[in-house]
Amino acid sequence: MKVIISENRMFGIMDSILKLSYNPETREFYSDGVIDGVIGYKYKNGFTYGGYHVDDMVSNIFGENTDELLLIYLKEKFPNLTINKINN
């Protein structure tokens, strides 16, 4: 089955599942949602997952286009950060 939802709705879902915050001192993205703990780091001009297990968990939740969705979501949620790519 294929479901089509708006971008705003998708980001609302991502926000409710991940509940992300960013700590500029440690450069960590922290999830207080389904994935509890550090999910990644700001590295140079990109985002790096906190490990393969986190990458797998996020991919299992959001599917095959996770990196593209996460990149757009991070840019929108944290507009003051320069995030141009997802590093795996």
Side-chain angles (χ1 to χ4, degrees):
M1 173 181 11
K2 186 175 188 176
V3 177
I4 299 173
I5 61 173
S6 70
E7 187 175 282
N8 286 342
R9 180 71 180 130
M10 183 63 194
F11 294 146
I13 292 168
M14 291 178 85
D15 214 24
S16 69
I17 290 173
L18 295 176
K19 299 180 183 172
L20 281 186
S21 60
Y22 177 71
N23 182 336
E25 292 177 13
T26 60
R27 301 170 67 98
E28 295 174 329
F29 289 93
Y30 184 82
S31 172
D32 194 26
V34 172
I35 302 169
D36 189 28
V38 175
I39 68 158
Y41 304 91
K42 172 87 171 74
Y43 180 72
K44 295 185 181 178
N45 65 342
F47 169 90
T48 300
Y49 285 104
Y52 290 112
H53 66 285
V54 176
D55 185 359
D56 287 344
M57 285 191 293
V58 175
S59 293
N60 285 336
I61 294 169
F62 297 112
E64 62 187 50
N65 296 319
T66 297
D67 288 349
E68 293 86 1
L69 290 170
L70 185 61
L71 180 60
I72 296 166
Y73 171 72
L74 290 171
K75 285 181 170 185
E76 198 165 291
K77 181 153 179 87
F78 304 102
N80 58 327
L81 298 177
T82 302
I83 302 173
N84 295 324
K85 62 183 177 179
I86 303 292
N87 303 309
N88 293 327

